[in-house]
Amino acid sequence: MPSIAAFLSFACIMSFTPGPNNIMALSCASTYGLRKSLRFCFGVLLGVLGIMAACALFGATLFRFLPDVEPVMRAVGAAYILWMAFGIWRSKAGDEESRFAPTNGIVSGILLQLFNPKGMLYGMTAFSSFVLPYYDSFMPLAVSVAVLSLVAYVGVCSWALFGAVFRRFLQSHHAAANAVMALLLVWCAVSLYV
């Protein structure tokens, strides 16, 4: 029987630590405000639901083929994260319509999940360590997908709230804040190869 406390601890640690989702939520909220950034957060939720469902349904197959897929997944994920870092770094204060500025829409949140290696590792690790060794029926898998997705949503919304609370400070120090957020995203991309 798996430890529910360990499962939830793992989910919280993965969901609340810095990563592409959280940094983008912080950036969106500091640029657009909390209310407008919630579209991005909802997109993250939908994307995470899809990724978690795929990890639950195809966990064994993904692990078998992971060595062949992993280098491509890393390269594409790193490239997308670097593109987002460039967009944040290039955006100007009050320039919400910059073509390089990351969008705050639902589609952006969903698409980020397709290239977010941290999210994929989150799902694969959670299911391979805490769920699939003990359960293989629909209900436990569905509950696990829901719990993992909900915890991820709370994490990304918390980062958006932080961005909104410190919006004035972040906007008055726009260049420095964007440089730090861009560097954190670069760190996320580089950490795929370290």
Side-chain angles (χ1 to χ4, degrees):
M1 203 54 122
S3 167
I4 293 175
F7 173 73
L8 290 176
S9 295
F10 171 79
C12 288
I13 290 167
M14 289 296 288
S15 297
F16 285 87
T17 55
N21 291 338
N22 294 339
I23 295 167
M24 286 299 298
L26 175 89
S27 177
C28 285
S30 68
T31 302
Y32 305 105
L34 181 61
R35 189 196 232 165
K36 289 184 180 178
S37 71
L38 289 179
R39 292 182 297 204
F40 173 79
C41 294
F42 184 69
V44 168
L45 172 63
L46 295 178
V48 169
L49 274 168
I51 295 297
M52 293 305 114
C55 288
L57 296 173
F58 305 109
T61 304
L62 286 174
F63 295 128
R64 193 174 321 129
F65 293 112
L66 186 61
D68 297 333
V69 174
E70 183 188 16
V72 174
M73 188 173 73
R74 281 185 188 209
V76 171
Y80 187 69
I81 291 168
L82 289 172
W83 178 81
M84 289 186 307
F86 182 70
I88 288 173
W89 177 68
R90 292 272 309 202
S91 70
K92 306 285 186 233
D95 186 16
E96 296 179 8
E97 299 303 319
S98 169
R99 72 182 190 128
F100 292 108
T103 59
N104 63 333
I106 292 173
V107 174
S108 297
I110 293 171
L111 286 177
L112 178 56
Q113 303 326 296
L114 299 176
F115 304 110
N116 182 359
K118 181 183 176 189
M120 292 178 192
L121 290 173
Y122 172 56
M124 289 186 290
T125 303
F127 282 100
S128 68
S129 300
F130 299 104
V131 181
L132 291 173
Y134 308 100
Y135 304 105
D136 62 355
S137 62
F138 175 77
M139 190 53 80
L141 293 178
V143 169
S144 298
V145 166
V147 168
L148 290 168
S149 300
L150 182 62
V151 172
Y153 182 65
V154 170
V156 78
C157 286
S158 297
W159 278 73
L161 180 61
F162 178 81
V165 167
F166 293 99
R167 183 177 186 185
R168 225 175 258 192
F169 174 80
L170 293 170
Q171 286 180 343
S172 66
H173 298 87
H174 185 78
N178 279 5
V180 168
M181 287 186 277
L183 286 173
L184 285 170
L185 284 173
V186 169
W187 173 73
C188 289
V190 169
S191 68
L192 297 176
Y193 293 99
V194 176

